[in-house]
Structure formats: structure tokens, C-alpha cells
Amino acid sequence: MLVPYNQILRQARQHQYAVGAFNIYNLEGALAVIQAAEELGSPVIIQLLPAALALGGAPLIQLCLAAGKNAPVPVAVHLDHCPSQKEILVALAAGISSVMADGSRLDYAGNLAFTKEIVQAADRYTAGVEGELGRLSGSEDGLTVEAANAKMTRPEQAADFAEQTGISALAVCVGNVHGTYATEPRLDFDRLRAIGARVAIPLVLHGTSGLPDEMIVQAIAHGVCKFNVNTEVRTAYTRTLSRLFRDGKTPELVDVMQGGLEAMKHPIKEKIRLFGSTNKSFYQ
Ligand code: G3H
Ligand code: ZN
């Protein structure tokens, strides 16, 4: 069933678990997320990056919404990392449940103004808005942010940002990185604790792939209710496809799709178990 992003995250915060938000690019990805969540009785968020949406457009959103609507578990469909008001409005008009207003490339005042505008627009569709304060380094869909340009979230700005924008959830940067961690991941839990102490809304951690289990568990204890996961799932898919086509093999296309789907379910289910959302499909 389709459940609003805000409700899924509010419930997670109330019951101190987190929900996985998995980036998908096609039918196999959407089905892998839904089937994994269904097998574990877990709420889940399917999310699209702008690059996937640029290719799939409204049909890709409709695919995700239809898959979510027919699912026996709570599902939200989310537009991830979108810096463009125009693209966000198109996605909202196509029925997406929530959007990430990505103003991380802007200065504080610019991010505040951009995010406020998106919240006002999203309110017209009763859609949730995830804001971001700080900026992750790393790569995703060809978009790279150098470590020098990464910005850690400043706890003293978090309350003001959340209050002034009216966002539903806040994505933070506390040492998390998009894509592969070049060195041992190190999260600044003192900073995360200080942010959680200042804002009542759910916190979101991007760059989950490659984070040690114990860091994920600790982040949940500090108010993280949504984890964004892309690289581990996407890698499971691409590795399986290259194996299926190795040595000039020409498998049936449905077998390729099924193989890719099954391969993605493994990391998705692993993460859902770790986030603690197994059997949390109840809603008050
Ligand atoms: O927004 C998407 C996530 O932040 C993806 O991060 O590829 O490191 O799991 P990841
Ligand atoms: Zn991200």
C-alpha cells in the first residue's frame, strides 16, 4: 500500500527503527525492493535519482507507484537528490510521494530559500520534503563531489533550518560518503548526537553502502530513521548481469531480469534486517 513518506518516517522515529530507501532504475529494481520488503514484512521507500528519472520519466514513477500500491507492505516513492525546482514540480505532478530538495551546493541562505520554496510547492500535493544541510563527498550517477567540497552539517544551524523550511526530514553529513568509502568509514557521532538533540524531525543518512553494521545501529540510536542505499544494490545487479553474459553466453532476457532482481534482493533484505524495520508494517 502507498503510505506517505512522513508517516513512514514518523512511525520509525516513534518506534526507534529505521527504514531503507533504495535507489532503483528499472522494473527489476522496483520489484526487488517490494519483494524484499514483503518477505520481511517491512515498510520501504523506493527512490529515484534525477538521472534515472530523466531516462524513465513519468512512466518510471507510475511503475513504482503501481508496484507500491499493490504491495502488502507500506511503500513510499521518493525523488532523491533533486536540485531543480522544475524537475521536482514535474515529479510532484506525476504523483511522487516525496522529494529531496537538494540545496547542498548552495550557501546556507540559498539552501534555506530553495528548500522553503520546495516545501511550499510540495504542500500543494501533500508530499513530504527531505532537506539536506551539509554536503557529502563521493560519486553517484556520474555526479562527483570532491572531499574538499564536502561540508559537515553544523548542529547549531539544524534547528533553524528545520524550523524555517518546514521539512519532513533532514539529511545530514557527519562523515558519510556517497559510493565507495576510499578509507575506513568514520562517522562523527558527537555531531550526530548534537543534531538529533536539536531537531525533532527524522534524520536521514545518505551513503549507507559500505558502512559497518555497528555504525548503522549507532546512527539509529541517534535519531536516523531513513538510510539511503544505492551502490551495494546496484553493484549486485551489474555483477550478476556481467556473470550471466560472461564467455559470450546469450541468456534469455527474462532470465537476465530475474537474475538481476534476485541478486538485488540480498543486500536489500540484509539492510532491512539491520535497520530494524522487519515486521513493522503495522500502522496506528
Ligand atoms: O542518495 C543515495 C544514497 O545516498 C546512496 O548512497 O550509494 O553510498 O549507498 P550509497
Ligand atoms: Zn545520497
Side-chain angles (χ1 to χ4, degrees):
M1 68 206 97
L2 288 175
V3 173
Y5 167 95
N6 298 2
Q7 187 179 344
I8 288 182
L9 292 193
R10 208 173 28 247
Q11 175 98 6
R13 185 162 172 95
Q14 199 180 338
H15 295 273
Q16 291 179 327
Y17 60 86
V19 175
F22 301 94
N23 296 83
I24 68 103
Y25 295 80
N26 56 23
L27 169 69
E28 297 93 293
L31 294 181
V33 173
I34 298 272
Q35 290 178 17
E38 184 179 338
E39 289 167 22
L40 295 176
S42 169
V44 78
I45 297 171
I46 299 180
Q47 53 185 28
L48 303 170
L49 280 161
L53 191 54
L55 192 143
L60 184 57
I61 294 176
Q62 296 308 326
L63 181 160
C64 295
L65 290 170
K69 192 166 171 226
N70 297 329
V73 291
V75 177
V77 180
H78 179 75
L79 174 59
D80 191 18
H81 282 297
C82 194
S84 154
Q85 181 173 22
K86 183 167 168 276
E87 286 176 34
I88 285 174
L89 292 173
V90 168
L92 287 168
I96 207 147
S97 323
S98 55
V99 298
M100 177 186 179
D102 187 342
S104 59
R105 74 209 178 285
L106 306 169
D107 64 11
Y108 184 74
N111 187 3
L112 198 68
F114 171 69
T115 305
K116 264 169 121 170
E117 268 174 18
I118 299 304
V119 169
Q120 282 158 7
D123 281 352
R124 293 199 294 273
Y125 296 86
T126 61
V129 177
E130 178 180 316
E132 182 171 23
L133 199 51
R135 191 173 201 201
L136 275 69
S137 65
S139 289
E140 189 153 51
D141 280 3
L143 178 72
T144 298
V145 175
E146 297 305 330
N149 299 329
K151 287 181 290 185
M152 298 284 256
T153 303
R154 291 171 50 185
E156 64 280 8
Q157 287 182 331
D160 176 62
F161 187 77
E163 208 171 298
Q164 287 218 50
T165 56
I167 51 177
S168 320
L170 177 67
V172 297
C173 182
V174 292
N176 38 321
V177 166
H178 276 137
T180 311
Y181 282 81
T183 56
E184 190 60 29
R186 286 181 49 230
L187 298 187
D188 182 344
F189 284 105
D190 291 339
R191 184 182 295 269
L192 185 59
R193 184 181 303 110
I195 297 165
R198 284 169 170 82
V199 298
I201 58 175
L203 301 180
V204 180
L205 205 69
H206 286 233
T208 306
S209 294
L211 278 183
D213 293 0
E214 63 275 9
M215 287 193 182
I216 287 175
V217 173
Q218 207 175 343
I220 295 169
H222 288 80
V224 172
C225 300
K226 174 178 179 264
F227 286 96
N228 281 22
V229 186
N230 190 357
T231 302
E232 283 186 37
V233 176
R234 196 176 57 209
T235 305
Y237 179 73
T238 51
R239 282 202 181 132
T240 298
L241 263 56
S242 55
R243 180 174 51 78
L244 289 172
F245 284 96
R246 193 171 296 145
D247 310 328
K249 284 196 290 270
T250 54
E252 289 297 330
L253 192 46
V254 280
D255 294 339
V256 172
M257 293 170 75
Q258 187 61 41
L261 191 163
E262 288 305 323
M264 288 186 276
K265 281 170 67 175
H266 290 294
I268 294 171
K269 289 176 78 172
E270 222 176 67
K271 290 289 188 263
I272 288 176
R273 290 189 190 98
L274 193 53
F275 299 156
S277 61
T278 303
N279 296 325
K280 295 287 194 304
S281 294
F282 59 87
Y283 273 87
Q284 278 134 353

